[in-house]
C-alpha cells in the first residue's frame, strides 16, 4: 500500500464472510425470496461482493440470481460527461425487477446516486435497494444503505480500504491514513 499507513484492521476474512452471509439472508428475507431479484455490483469490489452474495442466495434459495456489473464512470457528477466509456456488463433486463446495488463502501452517497442514474438508463426496476459492506457515514446526499455489513464511523481524513481475494489477494478491511 504505497504512501498509505494502516491504522487499524476492521474486518478479517471470517468477519467479511459473516457479513456477506448476513446481507444475503437479509436481502432474501426483505424481498420474500429471490423471485424477480437481481444484483448489480459496482465496479470493481462491489462486483466481487455481488458475485459472492449471489452465490450465497443461490445456495439458500436453489436458484441462480442474475448478477451484473455497473461501471458508474459515465454517470459521476465530478467527471465531464461523454468522455468516459461505459464498461458495464448487465446482460439481462432490469425492468420490473427488484434490483440490489452492491458496493464495498458507502460514504458520501454520490456513487450510489450515479449507480441509480446508470440503472434507470437501462430500464425501470420495480425497486432499487442498496447494500454496502461498510457504511462510514458522512453523507452529502439523502441516500442510505438498506443492507450494511458494518457501520464504521470515521473522520473525513481517514480512508477505508476493502481488500478482497479476487482483486487484492486477501480479504480484509482496514482504516488508513494517507502519508505525504
Amino acid at each position: 500500500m504505497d504512501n498509505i499507513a494502516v491504522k487499524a484492521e476492521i474486518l478479517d476474512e471470517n468477519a467479511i464472510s459473516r457479513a456477506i452471509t448476513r446481507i444475503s439472508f437479509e436481502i432474501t428475507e426483505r424481498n420474500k425470496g429471490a423471485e424477480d431479484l437481481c444484483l448489480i455490483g459496482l465496479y470493481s469490489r462491489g462486483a466481487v461482493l455481488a458475485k459472492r452474495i449471489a452465490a450465497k442466495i443461490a445456495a439458500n434459495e436453489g436458484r441462480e440470481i442474475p448478477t451484473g456489473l455497473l461501471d458508474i464512470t459515465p454517470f459521476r457528477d465530478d467527471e465531464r460527461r461523454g468522455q468516459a466509456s461505459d464498461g458495464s456488463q448487465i446482460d439481462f433486463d432490469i425492468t420490473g425487477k427488484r434490483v440490489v446495488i452492491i458496493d464495498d463502501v458507502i460514504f458520501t452517497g454520490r456513487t450510489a446516486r450515479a449507480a441509480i442514474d446508470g440503472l434507470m438508463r437501462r430500464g425501470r426496476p420495480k425497486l432499487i435497494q442498496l447494500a454496502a459492506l461498510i457504511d462510514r457515514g458522512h453523507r452529502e446526499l439523502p441516500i442510505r444503505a438498506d443492507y450494511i455489513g458494518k457501520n464504521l464511523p470515521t473522520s473525513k481524513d481517514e480512508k477505508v480500504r476493502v481488500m478482497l481475494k479476487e482483486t487484492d489477494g486477501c480479504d480484509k478491511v482496514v482504516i488508513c491514513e494517507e502519508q505525504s
Side-chain angles (χ1 to χ4, degrees):
M1 288 188 271
D2 300 325
N3 297 328
I4 296 178
V6 174
K7 285 177 59 175
E9 182 174 315
I10 304 304
L11 297 177
D12 63 12
E13 182 175 0
N14 290 331
I16 289 173
S17 179
R18 285 190 303 272
I20 288 169
T21 298
R22 187 175 59 255
I23 289 169
S24 63
F25 277 115
E26 289 175 1
I27 288 170
T28 52
E29 185 175 310
R30 186 174 298 173
N31 289 286
K32 298 178 177 36
E35 185 73 29
D36 291 329
L37 182 68
C38 60
L39 305 181
I40 305 292
L42 302 186
Y43 183 76
S44 67
R45 287 170 185 81
V48 171
L49 292 169
K51 288 176 186 172
R52 290 187 189 184
I53 292 169
K56 293 266 187 201
I57 294 173
N60 293 328
E61 295 293 310
R63 70 178 343 159
E64 292 301 310
I65 307 302
T67 305
L69 165 100
L70 182 64
D71 177 2
I72 64 149
T73 307
F75 308 102
R76 293 175 54 107
D77 61 9
D78 61 349
E79 301 282 331
R80 284 194 222 174
R81 294 179 187 259
Q83 288 188 331
S85 63
D86 185 353
S88 299
Q89 297 170 7
I90 303 172
D91 51 356
F92 51 89
D93 186 9
I94 64 167
T95 300
K97 304 289 187 201
R98 297 172 178 273
V99 177
V100 182
I101 298 169
I102 313 284
D103 201 3
D104 58 346
V105 178
I106 184 169
F107 182 35
T108 62
R110 292 184 180 280
T111 297
R113 187 222 37 91
I116 293 167
D117 285 352
L119 286 177
M120 297 307 283
R121 293 211 180 156
R122 287 171 165 76
R124 189 171 192 275
K126 181 176 185 173
L127 63 83
I128 298 174
Q129 299 171 333
L130 176 62
L133 182 62
I134 303 293
D135 182 346
R136 61 175 292 198
H138 302 288
R139 285 312 172 273
E140 295 174 2
L141 299 173
I143 291 176
R144 67 169 177 77
D146 299 283
Y147 312 101
I148 300 167
K150 181 163 183 67
N151 284 298
L152 182 62
T154 60
S155 78
K156 284 193 172 193
D157 296 333
E158 293 173 316
K159 304 289 181 207
V160 174
R161 179 150 184 222
V162 174
M163 292 177 268
L164 301 172
K165 286 179 185 172
E166 296 87 337
T167 55
D168 306 291
C170 65
D171 279 355
K172 65 181 171 180
V173 177
V174 297
I175 294 180
C176 305
E177 281 185 349
E178 286 190 33
Q179 302 291 305
S180 16

